[in-house]
Amino acid sequence: MLKKFWNVYLSGEIHTNWRDKIINKTAKYNLPINFFSPIIEHVMSDDCGVEILGAEDKKFWHDFKGASINSIRTSNMIKNSDIVIVRFGEKYKQWNAAFDAGIATCLNKSLITFHSVDLDHALKEVDAAASAICRDVDEIINTLSYVITGKLITNKIS
């Protein structure tokens, strides 16, 4: 019997290596997951529109072109995901992450939010739509393991 591979979209904060930690730990536990993410190189993500379609005099149109092209990738990856994990970091307001969580919810995707307790109040509506609210990578790995294999990882994840 072929093993099902789950498609997981990793959305949100781009300034830390949280994605790499999740990907590496799921590989360690042989969890059958294909990961997808937005373009996380900030300059490339911001400037792709003008690089492809030409320069703009006004910052609004510069940003609009980039956001429009990035939305093709984002919307398709969310549509093709089984689970969407959205990371809200401490330093920046991730409006795009909240938007991705809303899209995932509207598409009936399983949503996991990942953020500190300090953001609970600000994200209460987003969290209310989530199936799980995780505080660290280990909680995410244990959630994914349980959902995918039906087993808990009982030893401390390192």
Side-chain angles (χ1 to χ4, degrees), residues 1 4 11 16 35 40 47 49 51-52 55 64 68-69 71 97 106-107 113 116 123 127 129 131 137 139-140:
M1 182 169 144
K4 172 189 168 50
S11 172
T16 62
F35 287 102
I40 60 171
D47 294 345
E51 289 293 324
I52 297 167
F64 184 84
S68 296
I69 290 174
S71 74
C106 288
L107 292 173
T113 59
S116 71
L123 294 171
D127 285 344
S131 298
V137 169
E139 289 181 359
I140 291 171

Side-chain angles (χ1 to χ4, degrees), residues 6-49:
W6 291 64
N7 293 323
V8 176
Y9 184 68
L10 302 173
S11 172
E13 190 266 321
I14 65 168
H15 301 287
T16 62
N17 67 344
W18 68 274
R19 288 177 179 84
D20 293 334
K21 290 178 181 178
I22 290 171
I23 292 167
N24 292 336
K25 286 187 177 187
T26 57
K28 177 180 175 180
Y29 290 99
N30 296 313
L31 296 177
I33 300 175
N34 296 312
F35 287 102
F36 306 97
S37 70
I39 301 299
I40 60 171
E41 184 182 324
H42 207 157
V43 173
M44 183 186 300
S45 176
D46 285 351
D47 294 345
C48 68

Side-chain angles (χ1 to χ4, degrees), residues 25-93:
K25 286 187 177 187
T26 57
K28 177 180 175 180
Y29 290 99
N30 296 313
L31 296 177
I33 300 175
N34 296 312
F35 287 102
F36 306 97
S37 70
I39 301 299
I40 60 171
E41 184 182 324
H42 207 157
V43 173
M44 183 186 300
S45 176
D46 285 351
D47 294 345
C48 68
V50 295
E51 289 293 324
I52 297 167
L53 302 173
E56 290 292 339
D57 293 334
K58 295 187 178 184
K59 182 69 171 144
F60 174 84
W61 294 112
H62 175 113
D63 289 346
F64 184 84
K65 282 182 174 179
S68 296
I69 290 174
N70 283 318
S71 74
I72 297 168
R73 178 184 181 93
T74 302
S75 63
N76 279 283
M77 290 187 173
I78 292 173
K79 284 177 193 169
N80 291 310
S81 294
D82 300 300
I83 299 170
V84 176
I85 299 173
V86 182
R87 168 75 176 142
F88 293 92
E90 302 300 318
K91 189 172 180 182
Y92 300 100
K93 305 283 189 244

